[in-house]
Amino acid sequence: MKELQNNALNGNFLCGVVEGFYGRPWTADQRKLLFKRMNKFGLNTYLYAPKDDAKHRAFWRDLYSVEEAENLTSLITAAESCGITFIYALSPGLDLTFSSSKEVSCLKRKLQQVATFGCKAFSLLFDDIEPEMNEADKEVFQSFAHAQVSVTNETFQHLNQPVFLFCPTEYCASRAVPNVKDSGYLNTIGAKLLPGVQILWTGPKVVSKKISIQSIQDISKVLHRSPVLWDNYHANDYDQKRIFLGPYDGRSTQLIPQLGGVLSNPNCEYEANFIALHTLAQWSQSKPIESSKDTVAENDSITSDIRLETEIDDDDDVDAVSPVPGAYQPKLALNVAIRDWMEEFYRQRTADNRTVSLHKIVPPCPGVPSASQITTCMSVTPTTTSTTVGAKTLIVPPISAITNQIVGDMPANFDSYIQPSMSNQPVNSLLGPPCADADIDSIESDTDSKEPMECVPTTDNEDIKTDNEYFKEEKDTDSDQMQIDTDDADKLSEASVGNSGIKSEDRLTHEDIQLLVDLFYLPFEHGSKGIHLLQEFYWLKTNANIVTENRKNQEQSNEKISEWFSRATAFENTVKDVGRMADRLFKIPNRALLYDLHPYLWDMRGILSLLNSFVKWLGIGAVPAISVCYFTRRYTWCSKEHKSAFMSGDQEPWMFRGGLTAEFQRMLPIDGAHDLFTNTPPEKPSPKVYTIRPYLPVDESAVYNVCRQTCDDGFDGTEVFPNHPELMGDRLIGGILTTSPEYSFIVEDGEGICGYALAALDAKTCLKKIDVAWIPAMCIKYPKPDKTLALTPAEEIMMSFYKESNESIPVSLYTEYPSLLKMDILPERIDDAMVAKRLLACVLSALKSNGSSGVHCELQTGDQHMINFFSRLGLFALPSHDTVIVGRKI
């Protein structure tokens, strides 16, 4: 990137990064790389405030040890050497007694200790705490605001009035009681806080889609000073299935003279923040010119819809407005950032000993309340169930009901949308595990001595753990620390980047990165390619009856059927583009970047593969017109109410959990199947790809082979029937393949077919067809054994064809679980647990499209392995007499 000049910043305008998210803090190596990157971009401020760093919040009273002090000093020195103001923040509000002189002295002593490390700027944060004082404080202070002001002013003066930031408890307009103008809390803060203390503010919401000039002017009047924006626009700690790679947007550059600064609180994943910070830097150094975009009303959903449709047809990736010289244009800024980011993919950085951050649903995360009231630390507010589009009010179905089908039920005691810690316990980011290859000296140009922060602290009673033991323990507790090779990125020459040994066809292109960004765009907006995929899938699904009618009536208009298959092919090609981009990403030398992006891209690639499999099934022509009517009634992205509610910014983004992957999931016809989409990515990124598609007649022998290798309670039964390799396939799956192939799917890897899921829409009808057509054919193929005693296993199976069928489905079971399922996979070939879930999701989607309400599968009593296998897929034992029947509702 061309060097951006600091003199473009507005005087003392603070612009940079606040590490203020919940979850695993960044490592010291990452922070030092961040300082260099910020210096290159022209950013000037870093606020140290990791919520889950132990001595920042939970144990704020504790002074730093010698090792911690050395490491923090090293960070402050590294920031200073890069021209970055290092602001040290403390969050004492969880349990501080404001009226206690001992407590206040403890607070001042802690900050004074950090001042001795060379720190010249400080901050006190009182966000995300209960607003009630304890009894001792109530006797001394008139209000909570007075208590906070007293402690802050005293601390500010004690430190000789340095650069000082204060975060109020009412830190956004939505938390101001009753509103910004009339808030007693904010008015007290503004009137009583010393003028030299700057105040942090997040805008209209915790995560604000747009921040208007008027709103900043309003809060400035109340606070008697220009606020410093703590911008959560790219924060993703509230939703572990979303990451934001889009440009800085929704803030006019005319805000710059109205603000004391902007600090971005970005993605938890350090390597994912290049575009967020690059475009913030471009924004901060642009001329404060009003563009036509800035004149759009802050919550104008109609304009958002029009803009959305326009972007879909926008192939140039530039802003729709006419360019104004010196004006900030998000899409143009994004293009510049992508160009520079591409070089980072080919920096040589490792991720030694690191596993992918587990992609779990960890409630309670700020998300969807299960009750009809949201109880916050500030007030009791009814959930939003409507949104305004122009003069029209649209009724929105309860968000909780919709979102919970994606993420599961929230805990019964969930009563707050304040962001909680996503880790089990606070961690200490100033003391980390040893880094095998990290070359700290290459960053700091210091001596050859080992950086103290790379040593794991031990006690006399604690054995020193090896690297493998440490990271195994860290993986088990889901608090693993990232390890990276910290080669000086600035000194990495273009030649060394180009000589990475990667073929030109395997290198990421600008279009690949643009596609990646579009899939993980912004909290209130999906990228144009993502929206295109949503709309195309919706069209293919709701017009699938064209294929069915064409199959029945060959005189159907060729134009309609050609359009359907042409768009289906285009959809598949886009999905292939995503796969190709993911394959190229796997080969990049910057493994740290790969590990940060992999969980999200792995999830996205899986759901898109699932949708593509469903489209291929739709192409078979098994969807009646009545099912299409059902598709159109579902509440999805293509429902205007849902799209308007999402894009308006009236609700916090955690009300729409899951991002684009969840939108894709909602497009499928299966309800209540969120368990099939909860996932944990493989610990190590793998290039292995699994493809799920509808069964074809040419697959029969390969499917039979899988059946033979899994017929013994999920294990290989080849040696049991050496002379009759097709026997078990004929007995277990041949009938359903012959009578009901249209609901059958297979999964294949690079070696071929390695699993299948076969289903019949109506179990009774299928069994009758098997009795009439299949069994007689098998009696011809396998002559009846001459003996009745001492039969071999093969002869026992053959004899079963000659026994009178007594297979009957209980009425109660058939009513609730009318469809029949047969499913097997080769465990030695499939090491990704999500493959089986996606395979089942394909089958269930096909069955649901034709009205099925549930599936069942018959097993033998001794098939404990398969019983466990199906239980992990949500199929549980149903009442039966002689056999084990498992089933699940759809």
Side-chain angles (χ1 to χ4, degrees):
M1 165 181 179
K2 183 185 287 186
E3 297 293 335
L4 300 172
Q5 300 300 317
N6 278 329
N7 58 16
L9 297 173
N10 186 25
N12 295 324
F13 189 82
L14 305 178
C15 194
V17 178
V18 50
E19 184 184 343
F21 48 79
Y22 290 88
R24 184 182 65 191
W26 292 332
T27 65
D29 295 355
Q30 291 171 321
R31 290 166 182 153
K32 291 174 182 179
L33 286 172
L34 173 68
F35 300 153
K36 285 184 172 290
R37 182 172 291 175
M38 291 173 62
N39 175 267
K40 186 176 182 180
F41 290 172
L43 301 173
N44 63 8
T45 305
Y46 167 78
L47 175 57
Y48 175 90
K51 287 289 192 295
D52 287 334
D53 202 353
K55 293 187 178 181
H56 162 74
R57 184 174 170 92
F59 305 110
W60 63 268
R61 297 174 182 83
D62 295 354
L63 295 176
Y64 288 109
S65 65
V66 174
E67 294 87 354
E68 293 165 340
E70 291 176 348
N71 298 324
L72 189 52
T73 301
S74 176
L75 279 180
I76 295 169
T77 302
E80 184 177 359
S81 68
C82 293
I84 306 299
T85 299
F86 186 103
I87 304 177
Y88 176 84
L90 212 57
S91 293
L94 289 174
D95 56 1
L96 171 66
T97 300
F98 293 86
S99 58
S100 169
S101 59
K102 181 179 179 181
E103 290 271 87
V104 176
S105 296
C106 185
L107 174 62
K108 292 189 290 186
R109 184 172 65 251
K110 176 70 170 284
L111 295 179
Q112 189 65 57
Q113 182 195 30
V114 178
T116 64
F117 304 159
C119 185
K120 302 181 180 67
F122 300 89
S123 178
L124 286 180
L125 310 179
F126 295 102
D127 56 321
D128 296 350
I129 60 174
E130 295 296 332
E132 296 296 327
M133 295 184 289
N134 58 36
E135 293 302 321
D137 289 339
K138 287 179 180 179
E139 295 179 0
V140 176
F141 296 109
Q142 181 180 345
S143 69
F144 200 35
H146 284 88
Q148 293 180 5
V149 165
S150 173
V151 170
T152 302
N153 285 342
E154 184 176 343
T155 304
F156 176 62
Q157 292 175 321
H158 175 77
L159 295 171
N160 297 319
Q161 301 188 6
V163 173
F164 203 97
L165 302 181
F166 169 88
C167 184
T169 305
E170 295 181 14
Y171 54 80
C172 61
S174 64
R175 297 196 174 184
V177 181
N179 53 57
V180 170
K181 181 180 179 181
D182 300 320
S183 168
Y185 173 88
L186 290 175
N187 277 280
T188 300
I189 295 294
K192 302 296 183 181
L193 207 59
L194 289 173
V197 178
Q198 295 181 278
I199 300 177
L200 294 160
W201 185 252
T202 68
K205 302 283 185 180
V206 178
V207 182
S208 300
K209 180 182 181 181
K210 294 184 179 180
I211 300 177
S212 68
I213 296 171
Q214 184 61 52
S215 71
I216 294 301
Q217 291 174 343
D218 290 344
I219 186 61
S220 297
K221 290 178 182 178
V222 173
L223 299 179
H224 302 288
R225 70 204 78 196
S226 298
V228 173
L229 191 62
W230 173 311
D231 205 332
N232 290 317
Y233 195 52
H234 284 90
N236 71 333
D237 55 355
Y238 54 84
D239 191 340
Q240 294 185 68
K241 298 192 75 173
R242 301 189 73 182
I243 195 168
F244 302 115
L245 306 179
Y248 193 68
D249 199 359
R251 290 96 172 100
S252 167
T253 51
Q254 287 192 309
L255 284 174
I256 295 174
Q258 309 286 333
L259 294 169
V262 176
L263 301 177
S264 173
N265 182 31
N267 296 288
C268 299
E269 293 78 8
Y270 165 75
E271 294 287 350
N273 291 315
F274 188 93
I275 289 176
L277 302 185
H278 194 296
T279 54
L280 171 64
Q282 293 185 66
W283 174 88
S284 69
Q285 295 158 68
S286 298
K287 295 180 181 178
I289 300 172
E290 181 178 17
S291 70
S292 59
K293 282 184 66 176
D294 299 329
T295 64
V296 176
E298 183 171 341
N299 292 319
D300 192 343
S301 298
I302 293 179
T303 305
S304 298
D305 282 344
I306 295 173
R307 177 170 175 260
L308 173 63
E309 300 298 333
T310 303
E311 285 185 347
I312 294 174
D313 298 325
D314 184 5
D315 296 326
D316 297 326
D317 290 319
V318 297
D319 294 285
V321 298
S322 299
V324 179
Y328 176 74
Q329 299 178 72
K331 286 191 176 181
L332 290 176
L334 175 61
N335 268 328
V336 174
I338 289 176
R339 181 196 66 198
D340 293 342
W341 195 25
M342 287 183 65
E343 296 181 4
E344 295 298 317
F345 285 81
Y346 294 94
R347 306 291 186 193
Q348 294 287 343
R349 294 201 187 104
T350 64
D352 298 310
N353 297 319
R354 185 186 164 198
T355 57
V356 171
S357 298
L358 295 184
H359 212 173
K360 297 177 179 177
I361 302 300
V362 185
C365 198
V368 184
S370 56
S372 60
Q373 299 281 322
I374 303 177
T375 305
T376 73
C377 68
M378 300 309 306
S379 63
V380 177
T381 310
T383 54
T384 301
T385 57
S386 66
T387 187
T388 301
V389 180
K392 181 180 179 182
T393 298
L394 301 175
I395 303 301
V396 181
I399 299 297
S400 58
I402 297 162
T403 311
N404 280 340
Q405 79 181 48
I406 306 300
V407 299
D409 296 330
M410 301 301 291
N413 62 351
F414 180 78
D415 62 354
S416 173
Y417 59 68
I418 291 178
Q419 299 173 14
S421 170
M422 293 195 297
S423 60
N424 293 327
Q425 293 182 0
V427 298
N428 192 332
S429 65
L430 296 177
L431 290 174
C435 181
D437 296 330
D439 183 5
I440 304 300
D441 298 335
S442 68
I443 296 179
E444 301 187 81
S445 301
D446 284 343
T447 64
D448 293 334
S449 61
K450 184 172 177 60
E451 171 65 50
M453 78 186 317
E454 303 308 316
C455 300
V456 180
T458 61
T459 65
D460 294 338
N461 298 323
E462 181 182 23
D463 294 329
I464 298 178
K465 299 181 178 67
T466 66
D467 284 356
N468 289 337
E469 290 172 336
Y470 182 89
F471 281 96
K472 181 179 186 302
E473 178 180 313
E474 289 294 290
K475 179 184 71 174
D476 293 341
T477 58
D478 195 25
S479 58
D480 50 297
Q481 295 292 318
M482 180 178 187
Q483 299 300 304
I484 61 174
D485 181 352
T486 54
D487 289 340
D488 191 345
D490 294 337
K491 296 180 180 179
L492 190 60
S493 68
E494 201 62 43
S496 64
V497 173
N499 293 329
S500 56
I502 300 176
K503 298 178 181 178
S504 59
E505 61 267 24
D506 291 333
R507 293 179 67 88
L508 289 162
T509 65
H510 189 284
E511 291 72 22
D512 287 332
I513 307 303
Q514 180 67 61
L515 177 58
L516 176 67
V517 170
D518 276 352
L519 295 176
F520 305 99
Y521 202 59
L522 291 170
F524 303 98
E525 184 179 352
H526 302 310
S528 59
K529 295 289 179 61
I531 294 171
H532 182 73
L533 282 168
L534 283 168
Q535 294 190 331
E536 284 302 289
F537 181 77
Y538 181 78
W539 187 92
L540 291 166
K541 181 180 65 171
T542 53
N543 288 277
N545 60 303
I546 294 174
V547 183
T548 305
E549 292 167 4
N550 180 74
R551 190 178 67 171
K552 294 180 179 178
N553 181 8
Q554 295 299 324
E555 297 179 1
Q556 171 95 10
S557 170
N558 288 331
E559 183 177 343
K560 288 184 177 180
I561 195 68
S562 296
E563 180 186 9
W564 194 96
F565 280 103
S566 175
R567 293 176 76 160
T569 300
F571 182 87
E572 181 178 13
N573 288 338
T574 305
V575 173
K576 288 181 178 179
D577 288 342
V578 175
R580 188 180 304 110
M581 176 264 291
D583 291 338
R584 289 171 175 171
L585 184 66
F586 178 80
K587 298 174 182 178
I588 64 172
N590 191 339
R591 308 311 282 178
L593 177 54
L594 170 65
Y595 270 65
D596 274 352
L597 296 179
H598 172 70
Y600 301 95
L601 189 55
W602 170 84
D603 198 17
M604 179 65 72
R605 187 176 188 178
I607 190 66
L608 285 175
S609 176
L610 175 53
L611 264 61
N612 190 49
S613 302
F614 187 66
V615 168
K616 289 182 178 180
W617 176 80
L618 293 175
I620 295 174
V623 179
I626 191 172
S627 294
V628 170
C629 295
Y630 168 75
F631 292 156
T632 59
R633 290 196 302 267
R634 289 179 55 76
Y635 188 73
T636 66
W637 170 260
C638 293
S639 306
K640 186 175 182 180
E641 293 84 355
H642 176 74
K643 180 170 31 176
S644 298
F646 171 77
M647 295 187 63
S648 68
D650 291 339
Q651 301 183 69
E652 296 287 1
W654 55 74
M655 299 301 287
F656 302 88
R657 290 175 63 114
L660 190 60
T661 54
E663 300 290 0
F664 286 134
Q665 181 190 327
R666 274 190 285 267
M667 288 285 185
L668 292 168
I670 45 179
D671 297 315
H674 54 76
D675 60 299
L676 297 180
F677 299 92
T678 55
N679 52 67
T680 300
E683 292 183 354
K684 300 287 185 181
S686 170
K688 192 169 186 179
V689 176
Y690 300 95
T691 302
I692 300 172
R693 61 170 175 81
Y695 166 83
L696 299 173
V698 295
D699 299 325
E700 182 179 293
S701 61
V703 171
Y704 266 46
N705 184 54
V706 173
C707 179
R708 184 176 64 255
Q709 294 183 63
T710 57
C711 65
D712 186 12
D713 188 23
F715 299 98
D716 198 344
T718 301
E719 295 183 358
V720 181
F721 311 100
N723 299 322
H724 302 281
E726 296 183 352
L727 179 59
M728 289 309 296
D730 286 334
R731 184 69 187 106
L732 297 177
I733 62 173
I736 196 170
L737 281 177
T738 301
T739 61
S740 182
E742 64 270 25
Y743 297 100
S744 299
F745 291 81
I746 61 94
V747 57
E748 53 189 353
D749 58 10
E751 301 177 35
I753 294 176
C754 52
Y756 59 78
L758 319 175
L761 180 64
D762 188 300
K764 283 187 176 181
T765 302
C766 178
L767 293 177
K768 287 181 180 179
K769 289 181 179 180
I770 289 174
D771 285 342
V772 172
W774 182 253
I775 295 299
M778 292 301 98
C779 290
I780 295 173
K781 183 176 181 178
Y782 300 104
K784 185 177 182 179
D786 296 331
K787 55 184 178 178
T788 58
L789 299 176
L791 297 175
T792 64
E795 290 172 334
E796 288 181 355
I797 299 299
M798 294 177 189
M799 186 64 73
S800 68
F801 290 124
Y802 292 88
K803 294 180 180 179
E804 183 177 350
S805 175
N806 59 356
E807 295 187 51
S808 62
I809 304 174
V811 175
S812 60
L813 186 148
Y814 177 74
T815 301
E816 296 190 50
Y817 309 92
S819 299
L820 181 64
L821 175 69
K822 302 285 186 180
M823 184 173 175
D824 286 296
I825 64 170
L826 297 176
E828 68 275 11
R829 296 260 296 277
I830 298 179
D831 54 10
D832 185 345
M834 279 302 295
V835 173
K837 289 185 175 183
R838 291 170 183 146
L839 180 60
L840 179 60
C842 281
V843 176
L844 297 185
S845 296
L847 294 172
K848 182 69 172 180
S849 297
N850 282 272
S852 177
S853 59
V855 297
H856 71 272
C857 177
E858 184 176 344
L859 304 171
Q860 298 299 316
T861 306
D863 292 346
Q864 191 58 50
H865 174 81
M866 292 305 296
I867 292 173
N868 294 336
F869 169 75
F870 279 112
S871 69
R872 291 192 292 271
L873 297 176
L875 282 82
F876 299 100
L878 303 173
S880 61
H881 297 292
D882 301 327
T883 59
V884 175
I885 297 179
V886 296
R888 72 170 287 159
K889 302 298 288 288
I890 303 178

